[in-house]
Amino acid sequence: MLRATKELTKDLKVKTDSKLFLTGWSEGGGAALATHKAIEQKYSKKFNLIATSPLAGPYDMPSMLQSNTLELESDDLGENAGIYSWTLYSLLKFSNINIPLQGI
């Protein structure tokens, strides 16, 4: 698809630069990673791959909360405390869970 798009933009005289950025959400994030790997291994001379941003949501909250997401050491909340806090805040703010955000 990337080669076809490159050819089409040339035929249509659409001005582009050579920078390639990949992204995807959920299964698309996995596809973006697989594409990144394939380009690095087989097509690095044909494409100027700059960066890939694979994304996914916290789909299995109980496992996430029970894992070592928060590796507590004394008063330190661990290096992943930010993602834990953001996830909890987002779930409470944007879902139908009726728990007040004050004091969290």
Side-chain angles (χ1 to χ4, degrees):
M1 184 59 84
L2 291 172
R3 286 186 274 192
T5 302
K6 206 174 194 183
E7 189 176 319
L8 179 63
T9 56
K10 191 181 286 184
D11 290 348
L12 295 175
K13 296 179 176 54
V14 174
K15 186 178 178 183
T16 63
D17 62 21
S18 65
K19 296 177 187 174
L20 176 61
F21 297 85
L22 302 173
T23 189
W25 180 264
S26 192
E27 188 176 346
L33 283 176
T35 303
H36 184 119
K37 181 179 179 182
I39 289 172
E40 280 186 338
Q41 292 177 344
K42 299 177 183 179
Y43 307 103
S44 61
K45 293 183 180 171
K46 294 192 185 282
F47 297 102
N48 182 20
L49 183 58
I50 302 297
T52 298
S53 177
L55 305 164
Y59 297 110
D60 185 2
M61 285 301 292
S63 292
M64 185 190 124
L65 296 175
Q66 291 169 1
S67 72
N68 13 344
T69 300
L70 277 177
E71 294 179 5
L72 298 175
E73 295 178 15
S74 64
D75 292 334
D76 181 20
L77 289 178
E79 64 184 38
N80 294 319
I83 190 68
Y84 172 79
S85 300
W86 175 85
T87 302
L88 185 58
Y89 173 81
S90 298
L91 284 171
L92 294 175
K93 175 121 177 123
F94 301 109
S95 71
N96 292 328
I97 300 172
N98 194 12
I99 299 174
L101 295 174
Q102 290 76 19
I104 290 180

